[in-house]
Amino acid sequence: MKNFRFLIIPFIICVSACNWFKSPPEIGKVLSEHFKNKIYKDFDTVAYDSVFVKTLDSLSSGFINPKTVKAFYEENGREPRLVTKFYTNGELDSLITYLQNSKVHGFNPEIFKVEQLKSLLKELSDNQFKKVEETYPVIARLEALSANAYLNYNNFLKYGVVNPRNIFSRYYIKVKRPDSTGMIKLLASESMLDTLKAVQPNSAQYKGLQRAYLNASTESEKRILLLNMERFRWKMPETGSNYVQVNIPDFKLTWFDKTDTVISMKVCVGGKRENGYEDKLKAFAKSGNLDDKPKNHETPLLFSKINSIQANPVWNIPVSIAQSEIYWMARKDPYYLSNSNIKVYYKDRLIGEPDTINWNRYSRDKLPFKFKQGSGNGNALGKFKFIFDNGSSIYLHDTNNKNGFNLSNRAISHGCVRIEKPLEFAEKLVGDSYTYDKLRAEVDLPPIDSAHVKWYKKRLAAKADTTKAFQLKPAWFGPKKAVPLLITYFTAWAQNDKIEYRPDVYQMDEKLWVAMKKFR
């Protein structure tokens, strides 16, 4: 009996080492039960793991987010989680259906390796394997390609295929992009089908463009529609239901309250950059000569909130305009500055008589002066300036050049946005009659409310009193509440059951198309 005991112990150790008493992993159980095939009961996780690592390494160079995919599988023991969870319930088939139908969003299904996925699924479903080892490369490849396709499809529809901040130099809107935490959560989702359904863009704008794209007959029209579908996929900041939008190609400002339009007006925006701008910029970088510096007055795309109104504004003239325009005008006409109500400062001290400055002593690229245009009728900003935080020193403002609003191409400013109806816009912003009448009085307009006539007349009397020096100064007003402002760029959008098209005034469509071509 003792001899028998000594014999059986080594036997138990041996069979244990050979996994005889070890139950198959989850993937083995799932496939064994599904196919009624005993080979899956011998599924060896160590052997599969080695195959999967090599497969993932060979494929990941073509992935958009290889580090995230690898991190997910490292965290989960490199188990084939997608095949285990979504093969037998048909959701991997659903994934392939969505990938094949991605053409409705303007994608080429082959960017998701859809034919490879179909082939791998068929090979697994045919169940012709003789040994379990033959299944490892098929399962490993199906797992890795499914994970990549699933991530890319969801990310493309939820966030867009292109990050606009990477291709446009003046795109300052902080669009949300996919992050590793969200992608890992996506790979760990309990229902692939629910996720694929939920990620479909459902805004009225996107659906309108999509319908037009599927019905479009020419490639040029399809291209414009696709570009703007992509713009509507970008994850923009939350504006709320009440916000102001300036669409540069439309040359229009619109104040939205949900789907209603509160007010709409024409705008003039920054002029487009010079032709050959990139090459000229390189030449300027080498020479440092201002004569080589190309002009770029394009209005930046941004998101902010309008937080104040300045009546009778002062214009702090930018250095670029001082160098390219003010300097030459002052040299040409010694009285240009005083006639234009432009004050000159040297080391922040006001120069009393700017007409006496000898401009020949100064080169325009090293001007030691600052220039400010005072309040009044001649001010380039007109009677109102609407201010919002931004890093480009731009704002919405009135203008003395009202003829600009009659132009079809209104890309004529130095970068700020001139608005057609500043008084109406100010009225909507302040939101009450008392403040609005105070604002009107600052620009010599009579009050709307007769109860405010008394202090309006008092102001006019002070201004007309020749015994006192009346100095016109800026006056500040706060809006009832800060209003979100979005300066954006759409060359096509849905409106009143049809598609509106506008010219690509800054050639941003061209640049976006180049970035999107690899997804076509």
Side-chain angles (χ1 to χ4, degrees):
M1 190 68 178
K2 287 183 179 179
N3 292 336
F4 178 75
R5 192 183 305 158
F6 284 121
L7 287 172
I8 199 166
I9 291 172
F11 175 77
I12 293 172
I13 294 172
C14 179
V15 295
S16 296
C18 295
N19 292 327
W20 283 20
F21 293 150
K22 187 177 180 181
S23 61
E26 187 65 22
I27 183 68
K29 292 178 183 178
V30 168
L31 296 181
S32 175
E33 184 178 333
H34 180 73
F35 289 116
K36 309 301 181 190
N37 192 332
K38 293 180 180 180
I39 67 168
Y40 289 107
K41 291 183 178 179
D42 297 328
F43 199 98
D44 187 332
T45 55
V46 175
Y48 169 79
D49 186 78
S50 176
V51 172
F52 181 73
V53 168
K54 291 177 182 176
T55 300
L56 191 56
D57 284 343
S58 68
L59 293 173
S60 61
S61 61
F63 289 2
I64 293 177
N65 298 287
K67 290 182 180 179
T68 301
V69 174
K70 286 184 176 180
F72 172 76
Y73 286 103
E74 287 294 330
E75 289 176 13
N76 292 280
R78 293 186 283 275
E79 298 174 16
R81 293 176 66 89
L82 300 189
V83 175
T84 302
K85 292 169 72 174
F86 304 126
Y87 172 69
T88 58
N89 70 2
E91 292 196 16
L92 281 184
D93 293 295
S94 297
L95 172 63
I96 286 178
T97 300
Y98 273 94
L99 298 179
Q100 287 178 312
N101 290 338
S102 64
K103 289 180 285 189
V104 302
H105 299 289
F107 301 135
N108 180 350
E110 275 312 298
I111 65 174
F112 304 109
K113 310 293 185 189
V114 71
E115 290 302 320
Q116 288 189 47
L117 286 169
K118 285 170 64 179
S119 177
L120 290 165
L121 267 178
K122 183 178 185 304
E123 190 174 358
L124 187 60
S125 298
D126 285 346
N127 193 26
Q128 298 298 311
F129 305 106
K130 301 300 183 185
K131 296 185 294 186
V132 73
E133 291 84 358
E134 296 172 5
T135 70
Y136 298 160
V138 176
I139 293 172
R141 197 170 182 86
L142 178 59
E143 180 73 22
L145 289 177
S146 295
N148 184 58
Y150 180 52
L151 276 186
N152 291 345
Y153 182 84
N154 277 277
N155 288 342
F156 290 173
L157 289 187
K158 191 173 182 179
Y159 302 100
V161 300
V162 173
N163 183 349
R165 289 166 67 87
N166 289 343
I167 61 172
F168 300 122
S169 61
R170 292 195 174 186
Y171 196 102
Y172 301 133
I173 303 171
K174 292 182 179 179
V175 292
K176 189 176 180 182
R177 299 296 300 164
D179 58 56
S180 58
T181 302
M183 286 188 279
I184 287 174
K185 185 177 179 182
L186 192 66
L187 290 172
S189 62
E190 290 301 315
S191 173
M192 184 178 277
L193 184 57
D194 287 349
T195 303
L196 292 168
K197 288 178 180 177
V199 81
Q200 302 302 310
N202 57 12
S203 73
Q205 276 295 339
Y206 188 89
K207 287 186 172 180
L209 290 169
Q210 190 178 39
R211 283 193 296 270
Y213 170 71
L214 297 172
N215 292 324
S217 57
T218 66
E219 288 304 313
S220 59
E221 185 181 10
K222 286 182 178 180
R223 173 174 162 172
I224 295 170
L225 293 165
L226 280 180
L227 290 169
N228 289 281
M229 284 164 65
E230 169 69 1
R231 289 182 171 114
F232 278 106
R233 286 192 288 256
W234 293 338
K235 204 76 168 179
M236 306 296 274
E238 289 294 331
T239 59
S241 60
N242 194 291
Y243 66 99
V244 172
Q245 176 181 286
V246 172
N247 183 16
I248 289 171
D250 194 27
F251 305 120
K252 187 169 286 185
L253 175 152
T254 307
W255 187 327
F256 293 102
D257 185 2
K258 297 178 182 175
T259 57
D260 296 330
T261 298
V262 176
I263 191 172
S264 180
M265 66 189 71
K266 296 177 182 177
V267 299
C268 298
V269 299
K272 75 168 188 174
R273 61 182 63 184
E274 285 186 24
N275 292 331
Y277 178 82
E278 301 294 342
D279 292 334
K280 291 178 181 179
L281 199 60
K282 291 176 183 176
F284 170 66
K286 288 182 179 179
S287 70
N289 187 335
L290 279 179
D291 292 330
D292 294 333
K293 186 175 183 180
K295 290 184 175 63
N296 181 7
H297 297 311
E298 291 180 358
T299 298
L301 278 65
L302 55 83
F303 172 74
S304 188
K305 290 186 177 182
I306 301 171
N307 51 48
S308 59
I309 307 164
Q310 191 180 55
N312 301 314
V314 168
W315 183 30
N316 296 305
I317 300 175
V319 173
S320 59
I321 297 177
Q323 291 174 334
S324 62
E325 298 179 26
I326 304 298
Y327 173 79
W328 294 117
M329 296 299 291
R331 286 193 63 162
K332 183 179 178 181
D333 178 4
Y335 301 108
Y336 166 76
L337 295 169
S338 56
N339 288 340
S340 302
N341 194 21
I342 295 175
K343 295 178 172 60
V344 183
Y345 296 81
Y346 178 74
K347 294 184 178 179
D348 294 326
R349 294 182 63 182
L350 178 65
I351 296 176
E353 296 182 15
D355 303 337
T356 62
I357 297 173
N358 183 358
W359 295 102
N360 293 322
R361 293 176 54 192
Y362 307 100
S363 64
R364 68 186 178 110
D365 58 335
K366 294 182 181 178
L367 281 177
F369 307 108
K370 292 181 180 178
F371 301 86
K372 295 184 179 184
Q373 188 174 42
S375 304
N377 291 330
N379 190 285
L381 305 185
K383 295 180 178 180
F384 299 102
K385 179 167 72 170
F386 304 91
I387 300 168
F388 46 91
D389 294 335
N390 67 95
S392 303
S393 299
I394 71 159
Y395 31 80
L396 310 180
H397 67 87
D398 181 19
T399 179
N400 293 310
N401 181 16
K402 304 294 185 183
N403 291 329
F405 296 114
N406 297 322
L407 301 174
S408 57
N409 183 342
R410 296 191 288 277
I412 58 174
S413 82
H414 286 97
C416 289
V417 179
R418 306 172 188 172
I419 66 173
E420 181 188 23
K421 305 171 184 175
L423 194 62
E424 290 180 39
F425 190 57
E427 181 181 12
K428 298 295 182 185
L429 281 170
V430 296
D432 70 85
S433 61
Y434 176 77
T435 307
Y436 179 55
D437 276 349
K438 293 284 285 186
L439 181 145
R440 289 174 61 88
E442 289 294 334
V443 295
D444 299 337
L445 290 174
I448 301 297
D449 189 336
S450 58
H452 303 150
V453 170
K454 186 176 181 180
W455 45 256
Y456 168 69
K457 288 183 176 180
K458 187 176 181 181
R459 173 186 165 83
L460 291 184
K463 190 174 181 181
D465 189 350
T466 57
T467 63
K468 296 179 181 178
F470 179 87
Q471 185 178 3
L472 190 63
K473 295 185 294 186
W476 295 84
F477 298 87
K480 192 171 185 179
K481 65 177 181 178
V483 178
L485 169 70
L486 187 64
I487 300 180
T488 190
Y489 197 97
F490 291 105
T491 52
W493 65 93
Q495 184 174 313
N496 298 328
D497 297 324
K498 68 175 186 176
I499 302 297
E500 294 286 339
Y501 295 93
R502 294 296 183 272
D504 181 20
V505 63
Y506 289 167
Q507 278 76 58
M508 292 181 77
D509 277 4
E510 293 294 328
K511 209 163 189 176
L512 181 56
W513 184 249
V514 170
M516 288 183 64
K517 267 187 177 178
K518 62 183 178 182
F519 303 102
R520 296 279 301 125

